[in-house]
Amino acid sequence: MSLLFRRDPLIPLDPPRLRRSRRGLLGLGWWGLALDTSHQPGRTWYDVVYHDLQLFVMGADPASGGGPLSWQLQVARFLAPATAVYALFEAARALFTGEIRRFRDRRARGHAIVVGETDAADTVAAALEAAGHRVLRTLTPPACTT
């Protein structure tokens, strides 16, 4: 199995899942805030949008004041910050994936190293993999090709 081309468990999870959850929570928060703040004089839709976005950082005033809240706002009030924390976790994981992979490759033992992107390197790597060896493929840096 080639170490360079294997599926890495550190690759970030499905970004569309995160986008769908944010959209759903924004809609749920909007709905709940529209229901719970409809009695406030001078409230505009700008206020609802602002407080809806504030749910992700736990700063929405209507949801912090206590008292009875609609179920829509209750759900959005707890899940929106969880989505923000999940997004931060995924960003950190995507940022450090390359570093962790390089660290693991430096510490790997019992493998063959094939350098280059040529047909010969591909053939050697394929032959080693067919023989049952673990193969680490490294690309030639641009400074070494001249």
Side-chain angles (χ1 to χ4, degrees), residues 34-50:
L35 290 174
D36 289 346
T37 61
S38 61
H39 65 280
Q40 293 179 351
R43 176 194 64 104
T44 64
W45 68 275
Y46 293 116
D47 297 325
V48 174
V49 170
Y50 176 77

Side-chain angles (χ1 to χ4, degrees), residues 9-23:
L10 295 176
I11 292 175
L13 296 175
D14 183 21
R17 183 183 312 151
L18 185 60
R19 285 192 294 268
R20 285 190 302 269
S21 66
R22 279 192 307 242
R23 283 189 207 128

Side-chain angles (χ1 to χ4, degrees), residues 94-116:
L95 183 65
F96 294 116
T97 296
E99 294 297 321
I100 293 170
R101 182 180 295 141
R102 281 190 287 279
F103 178 78
R104 281 192 323 210
D105 288 346
R106 279 195 308 267
R107 302 284 184 249
R109 301 210 186 279
H111 61 276
I113 300 174
V114 179
V115 180

Side-chain angles (χ1 to χ4, degrees), residues 29-111:
W30 179 297
W31 185 16
L33 285 166
L35 290 174
D36 289 346
T37 61
S38 61
H39 65 280
Q40 293 179 351
R43 176 194 64 104
T44 64
W45 68 275
Y46 293 116
D47 297 325
V48 174
V49 170
Y50 176 77
H51 291 304
D52 192 15
L53 293 173
Q54 287 294 310
L55 286 172
F56 287 90
V57 293
M58 300 189 303
D61 291 335
S64 303
L69 298 174
S70 65
W71 70 267
Q72 297 90 339
L73 187 54
Q74 289 283 14
V75 170
R77 182 172 75 142
F78 288 103
L79 292 182
T83 303
V85 169
Y86 175 71
L88 287 173
F89 171 75
E90 285 300 317
R93 199 165 82 151
L95 183 65
F96 294 116
T97 296
E99 294 297 321
I100 293 170
R101 182 180 295 141
R102 281 190 287 279
F103 178 78
R104 281 192 323 210
D105 288 346
R106 279 195 308 267
R107 302 284 184 249
R109 301 210 186 279
H111 61 276

